[in-house]
Amino acid sequence: MKTIIPTEAAELLKDENNVILVDVRTPDGSLEISVPGAVCIPLRELSARMSELEGNKALLFMCRSGGRSSMAAEMANDAGLPGVHNVMGGITAWAASGLPHSRGNSRGFTSRNVAIGIGLVLSVAFLGLATFSGSGQHISATQFSESIQKTGVV
């Protein structure tokens, strides 16, 4: 396994028939900023998908800053795959080097955005329930639902 800087990775990628750039971030991370032609295989899925990388092509692993891609490169190296490289500094260093990349719509809904929204709604709901319970008043589920709807949260 070899660690390379983004400009070295860009040079290797010029031979696109013999190189695979693997982005080990989640699909949400890959939507925010990505390198054209990169294959997204999240680190948590890499072991199960290692067979997709078998062959005689060099493998360049990249993440946001280099930590996860270093682990991915070690996994691929341990699996006996040839030509394994970790791109030091990840997509952050790649973009800072002025190399080709694309930025997605950061205002789009991602699973993280949805999870945060659901968490906020549930927090308000539980806060309301705790307030009613703590005051000694008891309400029905229907009354609770109506009170939440009146707040405009749902």
Side-chain angles (χ1 to χ4, degrees):
M1 180 185 85
K2 182 178 179 185
T3 298
I4 58 175
I5 61 174
T7 53
E8 290 174 306
E11 282 298 314
L12 288 172
L13 286 169
K14 287 180 180 178
D15 185 11
E16 61 188 49
N17 293 327
N18 294 312
V19 180
I20 300 174
L21 176 61
V22 183
D23 187 339
V24 296
R25 296 174 296 156
T26 63
D28 289 347
S30 296
L31 286 175
E32 291 174 18
I33 182 172
S34 62
V35 175
V39 176
C40 180
I41 302 179
L43 181 61
R44 68 176 181 273
E45 298 175 15
L46 185 59
S47 291
R49 297 178 61 186
M50 197 71 75
S51 63
E52 295 176 36
L53 303 175
E54 291 176 353
N56 293 323
K57 294 186 176 188
L59 300 172
L60 310 180
F61 289 93
M62 180 183 285
C63 63
R64 184 179 57 81
S65 60
R68 285 173 286 178
S69 60
S70 178
M71 289 186 276
E74 284 184 37
M75 290 169 61
N77 193 56
D78 291 346
L81 296 177
V84 176
H85 300 81
N86 175 45
V87 181
M88 185 170 61
I91 189 75
T92 303
W94 179 279
S97 297
L99 295 167
H101 63 282
S102 60
R103 291 192 180 272
N105 181 0
S106 61
R107 293 188 179 125
F109 285 107
T110 64
S111 58
R112 183 170 185 263
N113 297 133
V114 172
I116 290 170
I118 290 171
L120 289 172
V121 169
L122 291 175
S123 295
V124 170
F126 285 122
L127 180 60
L129 182 61
T131 301
F132 284 118
S133 297
S135 66
Q137 298 176 1
H138 298 283
I139 62 170
S140 69
T142 304
Q143 290 171 319
F144 177 69
S145 178
E146 289 170 356
S147 69
I148 293 297
Q149 289 177 352
K150 287 178 185 176
T151 65
V153 174
V154 180

